[in-house]
Short mmCIF file of all heavy atoms in Angstrom, two decimals:
data_model
loop_
_atom_site.label_atom_id
_atom_site.label_comp_id
_atom_site.label_asym_id
_atom_site.label_seq_id
_atom_site.Cartn_x
_atom_site.Cartn_y
_atom_site.Cartn_z
N TRP A 201 -44.73 -74.26 52.16
CA TRP A 201 -44.77 -75.51 52.96
C TRP A 201 -44.33 -76.66 52.12
O TRP A 201 -43.55 -77.66 52.56
CB TRP A 201 -46.14 -75.83 53.52
CG TRP A 201 -46.49 -74.79 54.65
CD1 TRP A 201 -47.24 -73.71 54.55
CD2 TRP A 201 -45.98 -74.82 56.02
NE1 TRP A 201 -47.27 -73.03 55.81
CE2 TRP A 201 -46.50 -73.69 56.74
CE3 TRP A 201 -45.18 -75.72 56.67
CZ2 TRP A 201 -46.23 -73.44 57.99
CZ3 TRP A 201 -44.88 -75.43 58.05
CH2 TRP A 201 -45.42 -74.38 58.69
N VAL A 246 -23.60 -86.49 81.17
CA VAL A 246 -22.20 -86.98 81.16
C VAL A 246 -22.07 -87.80 79.92
O VAL A 246 -22.84 -88.73 79.63
CB VAL A 246 -21.88 -87.84 82.49
CG1 VAL A 246 -20.56 -88.39 82.33
CG2 VAL A 246 -22.08 -86.93 83.71
N GLY A 253 -16.22 -89.17 82.79
CA GLY A 253 -17.02 -88.29 83.62
C GLY A 253 -17.23 -86.93 83.03
O GLY A 253 -17.57 -85.97 83.79
N LEU A 257 -21.96 -80.06 79.20
CA LEU A 257 -22.18 -78.55 79.41
C LEU A 257 -20.86 -77.89 79.77
O LEU A 257 -20.79 -76.63 79.81
CB LEU A 257 -23.19 -78.31 80.55
CG LEU A 257 -24.59 -78.73 80.17
CD1 LEU A 257 -25.63 -78.55 81.36
CD2 LEU A 257 -25.17 -77.83 79.04
N VAL A 296 -38.60 -67.47 55.67
CA VAL A 296 -37.83 -66.80 54.53
C VAL A 296 -38.85 -66.56 53.42
O VAL A 296 -38.82 -65.40 52.83
CB VAL A 296 -36.71 -67.71 54.11
CG1 VAL A 296 -36.09 -67.12 52.83
CG2 VAL A 296 -35.58 -67.81 55.19
N GLN A 369 -23.64 -67.72 70.32
CA GLN A 369 -24.83 -67.13 69.70
C GLN A 369 -25.29 -65.84 70.45
O GLN A 369 -26.05 -65.09 69.90
CB GLN A 369 -25.97 -68.13 69.67
CG GLN A 369 -25.74 -69.28 68.64
CD GLN A 369 -25.71 -68.70 67.21
OE1 GLN A 369 -26.51 -67.86 66.75
NE2 GLN A 369 -24.64 -69.09 66.54
N VAL A 685 -13.07 -106.72 62.05
CA VAL A 685 -13.96 -106.21 63.05
C VAL A 685 -14.00 -107.22 64.21
O VAL A 685 -14.39 -108.42 63.92
CB VAL A 685 -15.37 -105.91 62.53
CG1 VAL A 685 -16.31 -105.35 63.60
CG2 VAL A 685 -15.25 -104.87 61.33
#
Side-chain angles (χ1 to χ4, degrees):
W201 291 100
V246 174
L257 291 176
V296 173
Q369 287 300 310
V685 181

